Amino acid sequence: MAFPYIHTMGTEVDAFLGQLARHLRPEVKKLSGLLLQRLNGELPELWENADIEALTLEETAQHVTALLDLLEARPGASAPEAPPAALDIARLYARRGIPVSRLLRAYRLGHLTLLEQLQAEAPRLTDDWHMINQTTVRLVAIGFDYVDRSSEQVVASYQEERDRLLRRRLALTDRASKRIGTTLDISRTAEELTEVCTEDFADFVTVDLFDSALDETGTGPPEALTQRRVAQRSVLDDCPESPLRVGGTHTYPDDSEPVRALTTGRSVLHHIAGTEMPPWVAPSEFHGRVLRDLGLHSVLLVPLHARGETLGLVQFVRHRTSAPFDDDDLLLAQEIASRAAVSIDNARRYTHERSTALALQRTLLPRNTVGHAAVETASRYLPAGSRAGVGGDWYDVIPLSGARVALVVGDVVGRGLHAAATMGRLRTAVRAFADIDLMPDELLTHLDDVVIRMQREESPGEGETSATCLYAVYDPVSRRCSLASAGHVPPTVVTPSKISEALPEVPIGPPLGLGGLPFETAEFELPEDSLLVLHTDGLISGRTRDVGQGLATLHDVLTSAPDSLEEICDRLLAALLPGRPADDVALLVARTRALDPDHVATMDLPSDPAAVSGARRFASDVLDAWGLEDLSFTTELVVSELVTNAIRYGKSPIQLRLILQSTLTCEVSDASSTAPHLRRARIYDEGGRGLLLVAQCAERWGTRHGREGKVIWAEQALPADNASTAEVT
């Protein structure tokens, strides 16, 4: 059964609502003001920002207009879309981090106020209370339908903006993880932090570190909170936000927010209201005016913490970006700063270890090449430019008896302080073994034992010690070179007439530390003015070049080598290492010399005690010819004792040799391998004092062993006026 009255009444209510809407249309501004007044009283936190307030005014007017449009529409019309300003303010609330519950509460309160105003206006148009009641019911239904629909759209816009912000922050975190800490350089790591964060997070970023952190000695916040500006970056040119430049130092006031952040270790979110500029933000009035003109409104202060230490402070500033920092931004800044702090701490620890290892290594390497009559030398050492750290490459030039010289180059496997310290121990061991005149293969055998002992002494965490070494001995008298290799690349030899390939007759033995495997000595004659180029593998090998290519380039450079050894070193490094080397490089270039034959005198002796007097006369005559008569007495005494020992305890053939170089060397060789030694002679002993006399008369003396016997030698210093007597051809 139909009820015509109800249908008629519904039509009349719709018509009345249209009349009511038209009546209130001129009052839109007034109604909006009443709504805003009530919202301001009950939700004052929504009015703290000027941009929110301005947008809320527009949004309220659009809501009133939309509802009036709905009342004027034909019966059954669906609720319209939420006004554009409503969606804009939802996105703005999302960016500001205002909870969506506050936004929905404002919607409910605002629409309730609007319905109350509409209901209050109805009696002015009719005195039919039945119509008024029906109109009120219809207003409530229409109003809540509008609130529900617009709220859904507003919440969707809010959530869409939050999701976009979340994706942006995740993207920022991902970029930070990939782009911060790409190098082990403190300044570059700080610059990477500022670059990443000024793309779409902050308008100005600074990184300040304690000087103690930069010096790798800080163990926490120092008493004097002096900081150094390591990096800063702005979206504007020339960083007008800061009067401080990179490298400058500054100190914040004791009661300032930055100091509290540093001392407590807690990050700070600081909003700047109006024209207020705290002294720690604007240290001068001029700077304050600059910041006010820029519109600076919020700052994040985030301490840099790593491994229990506070390294410094990062400031994130916004002025061009209208949205101030919120709590989510603070959490994001803390995460990025935390990652950056670890990278900075890694960089400073690496820098500390690298500088320590370099200092140790440079202390252990020869500082000045000592002039030697046998060879002229030049050398270079280049530490690796990679993250791997300083290695254990070394070289050495060791004077030996009989005017000879030892040339050494080696490479310890590994990086850092351990490799540098191991290098120092091996270099010391090589010098000790060279001092007792071991042959190259015997020296490497003893050095191999040293490395094996070192392996046994090491803890499991230090890794296994291993090394390569090349040991060469050059004799300027015979112009012969003897060398042995323990896993090391052979030298390149350049004679005055041609350049040789890596010497095929040089057998490469196993690296040091394997034990039980033999080393071999190779001997060859070198013309005078030949070049010996010794180096570690870092010179000829690399990530983009194999050893063959490196050797070919090295040979090309040496083919047209200049006379200056220093220039040869520079050319080799320029050709083979145009950039920073990936591995340590040790380079030693030596030009051989030949001793003037007139400075060497040799006499073969029979195994007969009567030959001693002839040896003394021979020595005296030679010294007279060399103008060293002042040394005749001591030299005859030394010759007498050494020849007597060789005849009494040695085996034929016996030979006496005098060498005039920077010192006067007396050598007596025989075929016996028995080594003499000093002993304490008793009062009534007829012998036993010979070597004691030699030791007293000579500056140095010793024994060196060969394949077919031994040589006992003694050196005397030349008189001052004869110091330049030793010359080479």
Side-chain angles (χ1 to χ4, degrees):
M1 179 178 180
F3 295 93
Y5 174 76
I6 296 177
H7 176 74
T8 303
M9 191 65 192
T11 303
E12 292 177 354
V13 169
D14 291 337
F16 182 74
L17 288 174
Q19 181 184 0
L20 179 63
R22 289 188 293 274
H23 175 73
L24 292 175
R25 185 75 66 180
E27 305 293 328
V28 169
K29 187 174 182 181
K30 178 181 177 181
L31 289 174
S32 300
L34 292 173
L35 265 64
L36 291 174
Q37 185 178 359
R38 184 168 181 180
L39 289 174
N40 189 23
E42 298 196 25
L43 298 173
E45 65 272 14
L46 300 180
W47 303 83
E48 295 176 353
N49 298 294
D51 52 349
I52 291 182
E53 181 178 0
L55 191 56
T56 303
L57 290 171
E58 180 182 356
E59 179 209 23
T60 303
Q62 289 183 4
H63 274 304
V64 172
T65 302
L67 187 57
L68 295 180
D69 290 342
L70 183 59
L71 295 180
E72 282 191 275
R74 66 182 184 274
S78 60
E81 301 290 330
L87 303 181
D88 290 341
I89 201 169
R91 288 187 281 266
L92 181 58
Y93 279 28
R95 290 194 294 272
R96 298 295 171 82
I98 301 175
V100 70
S101 58
R102 294 187 185 179
L103 184 61
L104 294 178
R105 183 184 175 194
Y107 264 67
R108 291 193 299 270
L109 186 60
H111 285 87
L112 176 60
T113 304
L114 181 57
L115 290 176
E116 291 174 348
Q117 293 298 320
L118 290 171
Q119 186 180 11
E121 194 67 24
R124 299 180 183 178
L125 300 180
T126 181
D127 55 1
D128 185 350
W129 287 104
H130 183 71
M131 176 65 71
I132 293 173
N133 289 336
Q134 291 297 318
T135 300
T136 300
V137 172
R138 182 62 63 85
L139 277 174
V140 171
I142 294 174
F144 276 101
D145 183 53
Y146 177 78
V147 169
D148 289 343
R149 184 172 179 82
S150 60
S151 295
E152 289 177 1
Q153 297 172 3
V154 164
V155 169
S157 295
Y158 181 94
Q159 191 58 48
E160 180 183 346
E161 184 68 15
R162 293 295 293 176
D163 292 343
R164 188 188 68 80
L165 291 174
L166 179 59
R167 289 193 298 270
R168 183 174 66 85
R169 287 168 178 170
L170 289 175
L172 177 60
T173 303
D174 182 63
R175 290 199 308 273
S177 64
K178 293 178 180 178
R179 292 171 51 185
I180 298 176
T182 59
T183 67
L184 285 171
D185 180 85
I186 296 175
S187 298
R188 181 56 194 151
T189 302
E191 290 171 359
E192 290 168 344
L193 171 60
T194 63
E195 291 170 359
V196 169
C197 292
T198 51
E199 289 180 355
D200 59 359
F201 179 70
D203 300 323
F204 178 58
V205 180
T206 67
V207 180
D208 297 330
L209 297 180
F210 294 124
D211 279 337
S212 56
L214 293 171
D215 294 337
E216 300 90 34
T217 58
T219 57
E223 295 182 2
L225 296 176
T226 300
Q227 298 188 71
R228 186 174 298 276
R229 180 64 49 84
V230 180
Q232 63 182 15
R233 189 176 181 87
S234 172
V235 295
L236 305 174
D237 294 335
D238 299 328
C239 295
E241 301 92 337
S242 174
L244 194 66
R245 293 297 175 240
V246 173
T249 60
H250 66 103
T251 303
Y252 290 109
D254 293 339
D255 58 346
S256 63
E257 293 285 359
V259 170
R260 279 193 287 273
L262 288 169
T263 54
T264 63
R266 297 177 181 175
S267 301
V268 174
L269 168 56
H270 186 83
H271 294 293
I272 299 175
T275 59
E276 172 199 1
M277 286 292 166
W280 58 269
V281 174
S284 67
E285 180 60 30
F286 172 78
H287 188 219
R289 287 196 300 270
V290 171
L291 296 182
R292 282 191 289 271
D293 292 341
L294 291 175
L296 187 147
H297 55 76
S298 59
V299 180
L300 295 178
L301 304 173
V302 184
L304 288 168
H305 293 294
R307 299 179 177 93
E309 298 183 26
T310 300
L311 308 178
L313 185 72
V314 184
Q315 289 192 59
F316 303 89
V317 176
R318 280 184 180 174
H319 50 73
R320 190 181 67 174
T321 304
S322 60
F325 289 118
D326 57 25
D327 292 337
D328 289 340
D329 292 325
L330 181 60
L331 293 175
L332 178 61
Q334 287 174 330
E335 181 177 355
I336 295 175
S338 177
R339 297 187 181 191
V342 173
S343 297
I344 289 174
D345 189 54
N346 289 340
R348 77 187 189 104
R349 288 171 182 264
Y350 164 78
T351 302
H352 174 60
E353 180 174 339
R354 177 180 171 82
S355 60
T356 303
L358 274 174
L360 174 62
Q361 194 168 44
R362 293 190 186 281
T363 301
L364 296 173
L365 289 173
R367 295 191 177 184
N368 299 306
T369 304
V370 179
H372 199 281
V375 291
E376 176 191 359
T377 62
S379 58
R380 295 289 188 275
Y381 170 75
L382 273 70
S386 66
R387 298 186 178 197
V390 177
D393 294 21
W394 90 92
Y395 62 88
D396 209 346
V397 180
I398 308 172
L400 301 177
S401 63
R404 299 169 307 133
V405 64
L407 306 173
V408 190
V409 66
D411 184 0
V412 175
V413 176
R415 294 288 184 271
L417 284 173
H418 178 68
T422 301
M423 177 272 288
R425 296 173 67 180
L426 293 184
R427 178 173 178 260
T428 301
V430 170
R431 280 188 159 257
F433 295 143
D435 195 50
I436 58 177
D437 270 322
L438 292 177
M439 294 193 66
D441 59 332
E442 294 176 353
L443 184 143
L444 293 181
T445 300
H446 285 282
L447 194 62
D448 188 42
D449 293 337
V450 171
V451 174
I452 292 173
R453 285 197 299 272
M454 292 170 62
Q455 291 174 350
R456 293 170 182 168
E457 296 169 357
E458 290 174 347
S459 61
E462 292 178 336
E464 185 173 339
T465 298
S466 181
T468 64
C469 183
L470 179 73
Y471 184 82
V473 177
Y474 174 69
D475 185 346
V477 178
S478 63
R479 292 185 287 105
R480 295 194 64 80
C481 181
S482 305
L483 61 86
S485 170
H488 204 90
V489 58
T492 299
V493 177
V494 183
T495 65
S497 58
K498 64 178 180 178
I499 178 172
S500 73
E501 300 294 333
L503 301 177
E505 65 271 22
V506 178
I508 301 178
L512 300 171
L514 297 182
L517 298 175
F519 301 98
E520 297 182 43
T521 296
E523 292 192 13
F524 49 90
E525 186 173 324
L526 288 176
E528 187 179 1
D529 288 332
S530 295
L531 288 179
L532 270 172
V533 181
L534 291 75
H535 54 83
T536 53
D537 57 1
L539 180 68
I540 57 175
S541 64
R543 289 187 293 264
T544 59
R545 180 187 61 212
D546 58 28
V547 174
Q549 292 175 324
L551 285 174
T553 303
L554 183 144
H555 293 160
D556 290 342
V557 173
L558 294 178
T559 300
S560 57
D563 293 334
S564 170
L565 297 186
E566 297 291 339
E567 189 175 347
I568 291 176
C569 290
D570 292 338
R571 288 191 182 183
L572 287 173
L573 295 180
L576 292 164
L577 301 171
R580 298 183 66 182
D583 192 8
D584 283 29
V585 174
L587 171 64
L588 178 62
V589 179
R591 175 175 284 120
T592 63
R593 295 171 174 172
L595 197 62
D596 188 340
D598 292 337
H599 290 178
V600 181
T602 304
M603 179 182 186
D604 295 324
L605 299 171
S607 184
D608 183 353
V612 175
S613 60
R616 287 198 301 266
R617 286 193 300 272
F618 173 79
S620 178
D621 293 341
V622 170
L623 293 185
D624 287 345
W626 288 345
L628 298 175
E629 297 86 351
D630 293 343
L631 297 180
S632 292
F633 177 77
T634 55
T635 303
E636 288 182 31
L637 179 60
V638 169
V639 167
S640 178
E641 296 300 333
L642 294 184
V643 171
T644 298
N645 273 341
I647 294 173
R648 181 176 298 177
Y649 303 110
K651 297 179 182 179
S652 296
I654 301 172
Q655 187 183 74
L656 168 65
R657 185 170 73 164
L658 299 176
I659 302 173
L660 176 60
Q661 193 201 19
S662 56
T663 60
L664 176 64
T665 303
C666 175
E667 297 182 346
V668 176
S669 61
D670 68 84
S672 172
S673 60
T674 303
H677 62 277
L678 287 173
R679 69 181 180 87
R680 182 179 180 183
R682 292 184 293 272
I683 296 177
Y684 300 105
D685 286 348
E686 294 183 1
R689 298 178 178 83
L691 287 180
L692 179 61
L693 291 174
V694 172
Q696 295 298 317
C697 294
E699 279 196 338
R700 295 195 312 144
W701 76 278
T703 304
R704 67 174 182 269
H705 292 268
R707 302 297 185 197
E708 300 176 355
K710 66 178 183 297
V711 176
I712 306 175
W713 55 271
E715 290 182 356
Q716 300 177 70
L718 300 178
D721 54 350
N722 296 98
S724 60
T725 302
E727 296 178 355
V728 292
T729 60

